[in-house]
């Protein structure tokens, strides 16, 4: 057992792990940014890598699995309630979103995930709904894409590693799916389980210290919140494999790891599920994990975030700026008492 190596959790670049005190004096901060000491771009993660190709000529935007529902995506109607917001100057470029990924099933190198997804057979796909629901079952994803009108929502995405992107996601409310499943009165939590195919995913195959498959859990009121979104597409087309094809969750007020990719099971229960990162490193990754600028990760500040692409740094907002939708679920707290990491 002594030889088992538990690697660190989500990683940030050394130069981004600036201690909280570095952000206290804004004028100093701006000066530092002007001098280029903080905002160095990562060419490997962004544009330069994005133009690369694999040996078989596949690029980062060539990883959309074929589906008979593809023609529905350009027709998705944008929900105008959701906007880019004040901090991001523009939508993230798709090439950035497709070449800067956290998807440990395909390795931990963000710029390399898109290269590794080729063996992943992401269509056809069944999504099972189980537990405390009146209509459990395994559903063909195509059936669900046709059953619910696809809508486009511009959501910001904030990773616990203190970077963010903003993009047009396509899908349908998680609430619509749960309403159709018919949740029972005893339901209190919703658990998500991701695919587990070592033969198709190099990260599952080689990183045996992780407890595959990836799993997550949220409260039922969080799952029924207006913002909770089942994502099947982005930028007017079905999801790229590296972004969680063919179906993932997005909860824009929480850190990105609460939004599991390539899910196969949604289970409604009366007790909280465990979560992949909380099980692995309980002192670093909480159950709620609402975006909270005042609660640092033990190894870095959450007060600001780097916008991937332009690579400028902006203040982080409580609940990632979605407080008007979600704050009332947490009794006045952003990080509920007892969640970790917590302010000392
Ligand atoms: N889902 C699975 N199955 N595996 C993962 O490693 N990473 C999470 C989340 N969902 C992850 C996952 C993290 S930390 C983030 S920030 C987002 O996916 C990244 O999504 P993106 O690569 O589409 O931006």
């Amino acid at each position: 057992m002594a030889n088992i190596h538990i690697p660190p959790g989500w990683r940030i670049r050394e130069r981004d792990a600036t201690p909280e005190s570095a952000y206290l004096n804004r004028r100093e901060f701006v000066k530092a940014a002007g001098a280029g000491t903080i905002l160095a771009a990562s060419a490997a993660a962004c544009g330069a890598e994005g133009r690369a190709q694999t040996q078989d000529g596949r690029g980062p935007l060539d990883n959309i699995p074929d589906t008979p529902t593809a023609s529905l995506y350009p027709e998705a109607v944008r929900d105008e309630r959701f906007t880019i917001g004040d901090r991001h100057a523009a939508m993230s470029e798709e090439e950035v979103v497709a070449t800067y990924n956290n998807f440990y099933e395909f390795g931990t190198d963000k710029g390399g995930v898109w290269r590794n997804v080729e063996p992943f057979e992401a269509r056809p796909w069944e999504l099972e709904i189980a537990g405390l629901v009146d209509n459990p079952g395994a559903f063909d994803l195509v059936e669900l894409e046709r059953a619910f009108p696809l809508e486009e929502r511009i959501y910001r995405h904030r990773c616990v590693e203190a970077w963010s992107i903003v993009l047009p996601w396509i899908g349908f409310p998680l609430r619509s799916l749960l309403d159709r499943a018919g949740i029972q009165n005893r339901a209190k939590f919703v658990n998500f389980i991701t695919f587990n195919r070592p033969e198709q995913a190099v990260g599952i195959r080689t990183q045996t210290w992780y407890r595959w498959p990836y799993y997550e859990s949220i409260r039922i009121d969080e799952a029924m919140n207006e913002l909770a979104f089942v994502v099947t597409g982005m930028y007017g087309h079905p999801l790229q494999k590296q972004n969680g094809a063919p179906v993932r969750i997005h909860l824009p007020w929480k850190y990105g790891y609460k939004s599991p990719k390539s899910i196969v099971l949604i289970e409604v229960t009366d007790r909280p599920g465990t979560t992949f990162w909380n099980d692995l490193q309980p002192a670093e990754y909480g159950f709620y994990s609402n975006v909270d600028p005042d609660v640092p990760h033990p190894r870095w500040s959450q007060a600001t975030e780097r916008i991937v692409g332009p690579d400028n740094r902006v203040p982080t907002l409580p609940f990632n700026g979605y407080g008007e939708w979600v704050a009332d679920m947490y009794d006045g707290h952003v990080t509920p008492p007892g969640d970790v990491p917590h302010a000392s």
Side-chain angles (χ1 to χ4, degrees):
M1 292 297 282
N3 289 337
I4 291 184
H5 166 63
I6 301 286
W10 301 111
R11 298 140 182 219
I12 69 172
R13 300 179 305 183
E14 205 56 52
R15 61 176 173 273
D16 284 337
T18 314
E20 196 124 45
S21 55
Y23 299 110
L24 294 181
N25 184 332
R26 175 141 180 87
R27 288 171 82 199
E28 283 303 311
F29 169 68
V30 170
K31 231 164 60 190
T37 52
I38 295 179
L39 305 182
S42 165
C46 306
E49 183 77 8
R51 283 185 292 277
Q53 288 187 338
T54 53
Q55 277 179 348
D56 59 357
R58 186 173 47 86
L61 302 183
D62 299 331
N63 301 302
I64 304 172
D66 282 342
T67 170
T69 49
S71 62
L72 297 175
Y73 284 80
E75 309 299 325
V77 176
R78 179 169 292 181
D79 186 331
E80 300 291 348
R81 291 174 301 169
F82 305 109
T83 61
I84 291 177
D86 296 335
R87 293 169 305 154
H88 295 72
M91 204 87 85
S92 299
E93 283 179 28
E94 185 173 4
E95 206 161 273
V96 168
V97 173
T99 55
Y100 193 81
N101 301 107
N102 273 332
F103 202 171
Y104 275 19
E105 287 87 335
F106 297 98
T108 55
D109 167 22
K110 293 185 209 327
V113 171
W114 69 268
R115 296 175 183 275
N116 294 341
V117 294
E118 204 275 328
F120 177 36
E121 291 171 16
R123 299 264 184 174
W125 194 264
E126 273 191 353
L127 179 59
E128 185 181 352
I129 309 194
L132 301 174
V133 292
D134 295 334
N135 310 305
F139 303 94
D140 186 338
L141 186 64
V142 164
E143 188 195 320
L144 300 178
E145 289 165 297
R146 289 184 174 139
F148 302 107
L150 294 181
E151 39 179 290
E152 185 178 72
R153 293 186 176 190
I154 298 173
Y155 276 170
R156 298 177 293 276
H157 176 84
R158 169 60 156 86
C159 180
V160 73
E161 297 164 330
W163 54 262
S164 67
I165 47 181
V166 58
L167 60 125
W169 309 78
I170 297 175
F172 47 87
L174 180 55
R175 183 167 65 194
S176 306
L177 187 62
L178 293 173
D179 279 344
R180 186 174 112 143
I183 49 176
Q184 299 173 356
N185 288 339
R186 284 188 300 131
K188 290 200 172 59
F189 293 90
V190 178
N191 304 334
F192 305 99
I193 313 278
T194 287
F195 81 106
N196 191 7
R197 301 183 194 160
E199 71 286 2
Q200 295 179 15
V202 63
I204 299 181
R205 214 161 49 239
T206 56
Q207 302 171 108
T208 49
W209 51 85
Y210 287 126
R211 300 180 191 177
W212 307 111
Y214 194 94
Y215 49 98
E216 260 301 338
S217 179
I218 56 176
R219 274 188 348 209
I220 192 82
D221 58 333
E222 296 180 312
M224 297 296 277
N225 184 275
E226 180 66 25
L227 294 187
F229 207 42
V230 178
V231 176
T232 56
M234 50 175 58
Y235 295 98
H237 55 66
L239 278 175
Q240 303 274 356
K241 292 183 193 178
Q242 63 268 38
N243 293 113
V247 56
R248 70 181 292 176
I249 299 297
H250 198 242
L251 309 168
W253 72 101
K254 292 181 180 287
Y255 291 121
Y257 64 87
K258 294 293 296 182
S259 293
K261 292 170 155 181
S262 307
I263 56 170
V264 294
L265 174 64
I266 298 179
E267 186 191 21
V268 180
T269 71
D270 56 359
R271 61 195 64 182
T274 53
T275 78
F276 185 89
W277 282 105
N278 185 251
D279 275 347
L280 205 64
Q281 289 176 337
E284 296 185 20
Y285 306 103
F287 177 85
Y288 288 101
S289 300
N290 296 326
V291 175
D292 190 343
D294 294 332
V295 178
H297 182 278
R299 284 179 282 125
W300 59 83
S301 166
Q302 297 290 14
T304 64
E305 63 205 54
R306 176 177 57 94
I307 298 179
V308 186
D311 275 359
N312 57 316
R313 198 166 268 281
V314 296
T316 288
L317 299 178
F319 298 116
N320 199 20
Y322 293 100
E324 64 176 297
W325 301 92
V326 298
D328 60 357
M329 292 192 289
Y330 305 104
D331 205 19
H333 302 280
V334 181
T335 297
D339 209 30
V340 285
H342 50 81
S344 50

